[in-house]
Amino acid sequence: MPGKDIKSMTFEELSAEVAALGEKAFRAGQLYQWMHRKLARGFHEMTNLPKTFRQTLSTQYEYTSHILVDRRISKLDGTEKYLFGLHDGNVVESVLMRYHFGNSVCISSQVGCRMGCRFCASTIGGLNRNLTPAEMLDQVYSIQRITGERVSHLVVMGTGEPLDNYDSLLRFLKLLSDENGLNLSQRNITVSTCGLPERIHSLADEQLQITLALSLHAPSQEKRKLLMPVAYKYDLRDVLDACRYYFDRTGRRITFEYSLVGGINDAPEDAAQLAKLLKGWNCHINLIPVNPIKERDYVQSDQRTILAFRSILEKNGMNVTVRREMGRDIAGACGQLRKGYIDSGNRSGESCPFPGSVLE
Ligand code: SAH
């Protein structure tokens, strides 16, 4: 990329750049506002900046802006799926979900993923590269600009492992929730992780007000290993200790995600073991019927099994919801748009088939 990535800079960094260019201090405020509030697509739109300054900026800095490759709108529930092209030809998929409480966007944090979860397609081609803070912001900014509707909620649940791209994620979260930017409430932001204990500790120490969602998917260390290779690296006890630390430091209730995979982790005994494992936690359990991918022979649990699983958890006093799929008519699961694009010969790589979803 030519030049410095200006949209990924904090206001302080931007101010230092502006000062070094010999410009007046208030120009930094104007620039920041164009980028993060008015969501400008380039320096050319920043009409209250002198032309010479804009020219200097465009020669010295890189201004990211996504290309809209595809957009699909569900007739069933208004869910929208977007495929955005990045400057290097990679594509990322993002989803907009409309709820009674506002508009929620699901973003990708990496191009591909290296965590290897058995039921997830985004990991099949491995990690291609990390996204920059600007490239994460652009997913939200583009959707808000295109729809003209305010984005009020964010979930980092698209392709990639956000805590594997930690520094960029943190910068992204701070920029997105900055009061001089889109000012998204941190309480409306959820970051989902497969569970990297050191990173969860670091995130806890930042004391942000975001929700941490842990992809648990199994009630024991042994069973977790069957589904998530990351469990060979980190013991479940350490992962849960890190989550406990997160709760203690931030006061934010943890969400545990549990993808129900037919015949693997959906038995009544699994539910009982899960209830025991999480006993005493102030938490929320989100059951996700697995979305089968063609590369693996995992199947979805039937409806009765899902309801029985939920009911065991409820009887044990757990707070639990089952996720339902949204936008089924528009390449159903998240990542399929990108995958279709790639499979049709545009690029190599894989993506996550996670459904654009809603809590019941
Ligand atoms: N790397 C992050 C974000 C991944 S996507 C994480 O691991 O949490 C968000 C959620 O979707 C995770 O819980 C992930 O395990 C789950 N998921 C991925 N593929 C899925 C599939 N095919 N069916 C159901 N859930 C899936």
Side-chain angles (χ1 to χ4, degrees):
M1 280 198 285
K4 294 188 224 171
D5 173 10
I6 196 163
K7 211 187 280 179
S8 293
M9 291 178 186
T10 62
F11 181 66
E12 290 66 34
E13 289 166 345
L14 192 63
S15 301
E17 296 285 330
V18 166
L21 290 173
E23 290 288 333
K24 294 208 176 70
F26 76 94
R27 296 283 181 216
Q30 287 180 314
L31 242 175
Y32 194 86
Q33 194 178 46
W34 275 112
M35 288 192 285
H36 300 292
R37 192 158 269 218
K38 297 185 188 164
L39 315 183
R41 272 166 302 182
F43 296 119
H44 60 280
E45 287 187 4
M46 305 182 181
T47 43
N48 61 355
L49 299 183
K51 217 168 174 184
T52 48
F53 183 37
R54 278 188 266 155
Q55 266 156 5
T56 310
L57 289 171
S58 53
T59 54
Q60 299 200 13
Y61 298 92
E62 188 237 346
Y63 195 97
T64 61
S65 186
H66 288 346
I67 300 158
L68 181 62
V69 176
D70 201 354
R71 176 191 186 193
R72 301 203 181 164
I73 307 176
S74 168
K75 291 192 182 71
L76 301 175
D77 50 38
T79 297
E80 299 194 10
K81 311 227 165 174
Y82 291 86
L83 197 61
F84 293 117
L86 310 178
H87 70 93
D88 61 357
N90 276 304
V91 289
V92 288
E93 188 169 333
S94 324
V95 186
L96 165 71
M97 291 160 284
R98 292 193 165 85
Y99 298 121
H100 60 277
F101 53 76
N103 283 0
S104 180
V105 166
C106 172
I107 67 145
S108 299
S109 55
Q110 295 179 313
V111 181
C113 183
R114 62 189 182 119
M115 295 299 142
C117 296
R118 305 287 302 154
F119 48 81
C120 181
S122 75
T123 201
I124 290 172
L127 176 67
N128 184 320
R129 71 169 173 88
N130 280 327
L131 291 180
T132 63
E135 288 169 333
M136 289 187 251
L137 286 170
D138 280 341
Q139 296 175 58
V140 182
Y141 292 1
S142 299
I143 291 177
Q144 175 151 324
R145 213 174 40 221
I146 291 167
T147 59
E149 297 170 31
R150 180 173 155 70
V151 173
S152 58
H153 291 67
L154 175 92
V155 292
V156 188
M157 289 191 181
T159 300
E161 167 49 47
L163 299 190
D164 189 36
N165 184 14
Y166 184 80
D167 292 340
S168 292
L169 175 83
L170 207 63
R171 199 172 258 270
F172 158 73
L173 294 174
K174 287 179 177 170
L175 287 166
L176 190 68
S177 58
D178 183 19
E179 59 180 3
N180 293 312
L182 277 197
N183 194 14
L184 223 86
S185 165
Q186 289 185 357
R187 290 172 168 267
N188 293 352
I189 298 177
T190 299
V191 172
S192 177
T193 177
C194 64
L196 310 179
E198 296 100 341
R199 297 280 165 81
I200 294 176
H201 270 260
S202 306
L203 191 64
D205 289 336
E206 291 289 331
Q207 295 197 290
L208 305 177
Q209 280 298 294
I210 62 172
T211 299
L212 184 70
L214 178 78
S215 296
L216 185 55
H217 305 325
S220 69
Q221 169 67 2
E222 283 318 304
K223 196 159 261 191
R224 201 162 186 258
K225 279 184 183 167
L226 297 177
L227 293 170
M228 306 176 74
V230 72
Y232 283 93
K233 186 152 186 210
Y234 301 111
D235 195 89
L236 183 54
R237 268 175 310 207
D238 296 332
V239 178
L240 289 178
D241 281 351
C243 290
R244 172 81 65 190
Y245 182 75
Y246 188 88
F247 175 74
D248 290 344
R249 291 285 279 170
T250 62
R252 301 290 295 158
R253 189 174 77 155
I254 305 286
T255 293
F256 291 103
E257 291 164 285
Y258 193 104
S259 293
L260 287 164
V261 187
I264 306 278
N265 65 355
D266 63 347
E269 301 78 57
D270 293 316
Q273 205 177 353
L274 181 62
K276 208 167 150 202
L277 182 74
L278 298 180
K279 195 174 159 68
W281 278 79
N282 180 5
C283 67
H284 169 229
I285 302 173
N286 198 4
L287 300 175
I288 312 167
V290 80
N291 188 49
I293 57 171
K294 70 172 191 300
E295 289 79 2
R296 308 264 187 264
D297 47 13
Y298 291 134
V299 291
Q300 229 177 54
S301 316
D302 58 51
Q303 202 56 21
R304 263 179 52 198
T305 307
I306 296 172
L307 295 179
F309 198 95
R310 180 175 76 177
S311 132
I312 293 171
L313 294 174
E314 280 172 346
K315 279 190 192 121
N316 281 278
M318 317 294 309
N319 186 314
V320 46
T321 46
V322 180
R323 209 169 263 201
R324 74 177 160 85
E325 200 173 329
M326 286 177 83
R328 196 177 265 282
D329 57 328
I330 47 165
C334 178
Q336 282 182 8
L337 205 55
R338 175 170 178 261
K339 194 155 187 316
Y341 179 81
I342 290 163
D343 289 350
S344 66
N346 286 295
R347 293 272 314 177
S348 62
E350 294 287 344
S351 60
C352 176
F354 183 60
S357 302
V358 64
L359 303 182
E360 253 180 358

